[in-house]
Amino acid sequence: MTSTVPALGTRTAEGSALQAVLLDMDGTLVDTEGFWWDVEVEVFAALGHTLDESWRHVVVGGPMTRSAGFLIEATGAAVTLAELSVLLNEGFESRIGRTLPLMPGAARLLAELHEQAVPTALVSASHRRIIDRVLSVLGPHHFALSIAGDEVSRTKPYPDPYLLAAAGLGADPARCAVVEDTTTGVAAAEAAGCRVVAVPSVAPIAPASGRTVVTSLEEVDLAFLRGLMTEMP
């Protein structure tokens, strides 16, 4: 299990202004954004409600309190937020217990960051119980620390998770590269002052100042991430 306690002795990437890499989980490293939607559809079907496909873009990438709250309000389902959170987490755990596909390029990127001793953190809006299950597949040794959505008072789109991760690694947020797949995650990383690589999963993300958009993690390696810092003072 990867702890949220900052790892000791982490060092910056030598010869580079890049100090740390902060990675989102669902839809970025593991191909699970569709899993969450499938589980939401199944849970609400059992409650007697059909979810509108257009809502998928509303709930993707955010904290469970936001997505679950939206779906309860939109459907009028007779379930509390706490009850729904349990149902969704249990359904998701069941799915990832059967299969957990990695995004193309994820394994290679993690291996390179680990081999080059680049301080790396996993930063997710998912709950700790989910993160620990995914870490067992990704390899906890790839991450100096991990931040879960139920361990911060304000999760994405607020900057808190990324600020906490940078502090835990002893890094300046402005010298951290973040890889995200949703507008919610991008907003959190940019609010924290990080450089962002967006790899859109469900909905498109437009390029912007301080943000680079790519189509796949296969386009991202350590040299690419270091290059994000070259225009910085």
Side-chain angles (χ1 to χ4, degrees):
M1 179 185 301
T2 300
S3 171
T4 55
V5 176
L8 298 178
T10 54
R11 60 185 177 86
T12 61
E14 293 179 359
S16 170
L18 177 69
Q19 293 181 351
V21 176
L22 314 178
L23 302 169
D24 174 54
M25 187 177 76
D26 293 301
T28 299
L29 294 178
V30 288
D31 192 9
T32 50
E33 288 292 13
F35 284 16
W36 281 112
W37 178 249
D38 291 343
V39 169
E40 287 160 349
V41 168
E42 291 175 1
V43 167
F44 276 89
L47 294 170
H49 298 273
T50 301
L51 300 188
D52 191 307
E53 182 69 23
S54 66
W55 297 342
R56 182 173 183 172
H57 296 282
V58 179
V59 300
V60 68
M64 183 172 292
T65 51
R66 188 194 73 182
S67 57
F70 169 83
L71 292 174
I72 291 172
E73 183 176 353
T75 61
V79 62
T80 67
L81 184 59
E83 291 169 340
L84 182 56
S85 295
V86 170
L87 293 173
L88 293 177
N89 274 319
E90 289 179 346
F92 187 78
E93 279 192 271
S94 176
R95 277 183 182 269
I96 64 176
R98 298 193 295 268
T99 181
L100 185 57
L102 300 187
M103 298 297 289
R108 174 200 48 75
L109 178 60
L110 288 174
E112 182 182 16
L113 294 175
H114 181 66
E115 289 167 3
Q116 297 299 316
V118 178
T120 303
L122 186 67
V123 184
S124 176
S126 290
H127 289 187
R128 170 55 57 186
R129 60 186 285 188
I130 299 298
I131 288 181
D132 286 342
R133 290 288 298 274
V134 174
L135 278 172
S136 67
V137 175
L138 292 176
H141 63 284
H142 287 122
F143 305 95
L145 60 85
S146 59
I147 306 293
D150 58 339
E151 295 172 338
V152 291
S153 58
R154 301 190 308 173
T155 188
K156 304 173 188 179
Y158 294 100
D160 305 36
Y162 282 113
L163 292 173
L164 183 60
L169 295 176
D172 177 355
R175 300 292 178 177
C176 293
V178 170
V179 185
E180 273 280 0
D181 72 304
T182 68
T183 55
T184 299
V186 166
E190 291 180 343
C194 304
R195 289 281 175 152
V196 179
V197 179
V199 192
S201 59
V202 175
I205 299 174
S209 177
R211 178 195 312 167
T212 302
V213 180
V214 299
T215 59
S216 168
L217 277 185
E218 293 183 318
E219 301 175 45
V220 180
D221 58 14
L222 181 53
F224 179 94
L225 295 174
R226 284 176 171 164
L228 299 176
M229 306 293 158
T230 57
E231 298 180 0
M232 298 183 64

